[in-house]
């Protein structure tokens, strides 16, 4: 699997903004102090660290050791003591059945080759519930309607699908869960909204850099999906959006809580 975003600093700037409150609020009412939790695709560890403060222990996992070190650094920086670290492939988890009370994945299934198989594995190692949240790119909406942002969306969709992912995962989570064999599934949605001047400068500036410097940019150029001039034009479009006083962006996420019987 090729990870579309990669781990350029512009990507990590976005991922480190994520907290349990802004990215896992749907899960928080279900957590108990005695729970053990497996965090699939822990990324830079900000959500992981927050969850660790609510349960007995967390196992942070990533598919590659280099990615796992990002979480380890954040956990150590915060002085969190109840987190372990494991390299793991969500398609074939090396844990016994029912090893964890809760299995959690944030923005993971949109990138994997077989999300149904991944959900089956998550359910196998869970004793109580599986919690998943993924964005839905086709449902992103913004104003003003800049053609460069339309180009960005089309380019992201093509790149992510070329990597074997499904960028519109949010709307498919419930269907995938049912196909994976779950019979007790609660589905919700939530949004991130960027509309203040500060939010626009952060989000727009971040994507203006990502489209030029992240792994996605390299993938796009290597596959001939766009030219460097195209990417510069899209980058400038993000900056124009960020500077517009009327600029507004909403990002939709699908969420599921799957009860394990």
């Amino acid at each position: 699997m090729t990870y579309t975003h990669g781990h350029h600093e512009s990507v990590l700037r976005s991922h480190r903004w994520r907290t349990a409150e802004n990215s896992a609020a749907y899960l928080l009412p279900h957590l108990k102090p005695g729970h053990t939790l497996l965090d699939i695709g822990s990324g830079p560890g900000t959500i992981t660290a927050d969850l660790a403060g609510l349960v007995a222990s967390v196992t942070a996992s990533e598919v590659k050791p280099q990615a796992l070190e990002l979480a380890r650094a954040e956990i150590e920086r915060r002085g969190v003591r109840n987190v372990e670290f494991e390299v793991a492939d969500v398609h074939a988890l090396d844990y016994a059945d029912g090893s964890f009370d809760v299995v959690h994945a944030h923005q993971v299934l949109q990138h994997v080759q077989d999300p149904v198989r991944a959900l089956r594995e998550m359910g196998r190692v869970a004793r109580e519930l599986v919690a998943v949240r993924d964005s839905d790119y086709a449902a992103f909406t913004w104003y003003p309607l800049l053609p460069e942002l339309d180009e960005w969306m089309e380019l992201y969709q093509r790149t992510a699908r070329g990597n074997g992912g499904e960028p519109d995962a949010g709307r498919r989570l419930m269907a995938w869960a049912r196909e994976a064999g779950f019979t007790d599934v609660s589905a919700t949605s939530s949004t991130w909204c960027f509309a203040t001047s500060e939010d626009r400068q952060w989000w727009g500036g971040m994507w203006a850099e990502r489209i030029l410097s992240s792994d996605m940019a390299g993938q796009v150029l290597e596959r001939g999906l766009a030219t460097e001039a195209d990417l510069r034009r899209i980058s400038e479009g993000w900056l124009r959006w960020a500077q517009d006083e009327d600029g507004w962006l909403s990002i939709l996420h699908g969420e599921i809580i799957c009860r394990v019987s």
Side-chain angles (χ1 to χ4, degrees):
M1 184 188 73
T2 300
Y3 180 44
T4 303
H5 298 300
H7 298 96
H8 185 267
E9 181 55 35
S10 59
V11 176
L12 296 178
R13 192 186 317 154
S14 168
H15 292 182
R16 287 183 175 126
W17 167 83
R18 298 170 181 174
T19 66
E21 183 178 358
N22 68 29
S23 299
Y26 73 106
L27 169 61
L28 301 186
H30 302 278
L31 296 180
K32 301 175 183 177
H35 274 159
T36 58
L37 185 146
L38 174 62
D39 193 22
I40 301 287
S42 52
T46 52
I47 299 174
T48 312
D50 287 350
L51 294 176
L54 301 173
V55 299
S57 67
V58 173
T59 298
S61 72
E62 271 288 352
V63 72
K64 294 183 178 179
Q66 302 93 321
L68 192 60
E69 288 305 308
L70 296 169
R72 191 190 303 272
E74 177 67 14
I75 296 302
E76 291 179 353
R77 185 187 71 81
R78 294 199 195 185
V80 177
R81 304 293 183 185
N82 61 335
V83 178
E84 297 181 349
F85 304 90
E86 297 280 353
V87 174
D89 179 358
V90 69
H91 296 101
L93 295 170
D94 192 20
Y95 302 110
D97 295 0
S99 293
F100 303 91
D101 296 306
V102 179
V103 180
H104 166 260
H106 183 262
Q107 311 296 359
V108 172
L109 294 192
Q110 63 185 280
H111 298 294
V112 304
Q113 296 289 323
D114 190 340
V116 173
R117 179 180 173 187
L119 279 163
R120 287 196 187 106
E121 274 293 273
M122 293 169 72
R124 181 184 64 79
V125 302
R127 280 192 293 270
E128 294 187 20
L129 59 87
V130 170
V132 176
R133 185 176 191 253
D134 269 278
S135 54
D136 193 303
Y137 275 75
F140 288 15
T141 186
W142 56 78
Y143 187 84
L145 303 179
L146 300 177
E148 293 86 356
L149 270 60
D150 290 334
E151 288 184 65
W152 165 81
M153 174 59 74
E154 181 181 1
L155 199 56
Y156 183 83
Q157 292 270 359
R158 292 178 66 188
T159 306
R161 289 201 167 91
N163 288 334
E166 175 45 73
D168 302 338
R171 70 187 66 189
R172 292 171 164 82
L173 292 182
M174 186 164 68
W176 287 343
R178 289 168 59 82
E179 187 176 347
F182 292 100
T183 57
D184 187 349
V185 182
S186 299
T188 56
S189 66
S190 60
T191 63
W192 292 334
C193 186
F194 301 98
T196 68
S197 176
E198 181 181 8
D199 285 347
R200 287 194 305 272
Q201 292 299 322
W202 178 75
W203 184 264
M206 178 267 297
W207 263 109
E209 184 177 355
R210 279 173 73 166
I211 197 63
L212 297 175
S213 304
S214 70
D215 284 13
M216 176 186 169
Q219 295 161 23
V220 164
L221 295 174
E222 182 179 345
R223 298 171 192 174
L225 301 179
T227 65
E228 292 186 4
D230 294 329
L231 299 186
R232 286 195 297 271
R233 185 176 64 256
I234 293 170
S235 176
E236 291 165 1
W238 272 115
L239 293 176
R240 285 207 315 280
W241 173 83
Q243 294 161 4
D244 195 311
E245 292 183 354
D246 296 326
W248 178 91
L249 173 72
S250 182
I251 296 176
L252 178 70
H253 308 272
E255 304 157 344
I256 52 171
I257 295 285
C258 305
R259 295 283 181 185
V260 178
S261 55

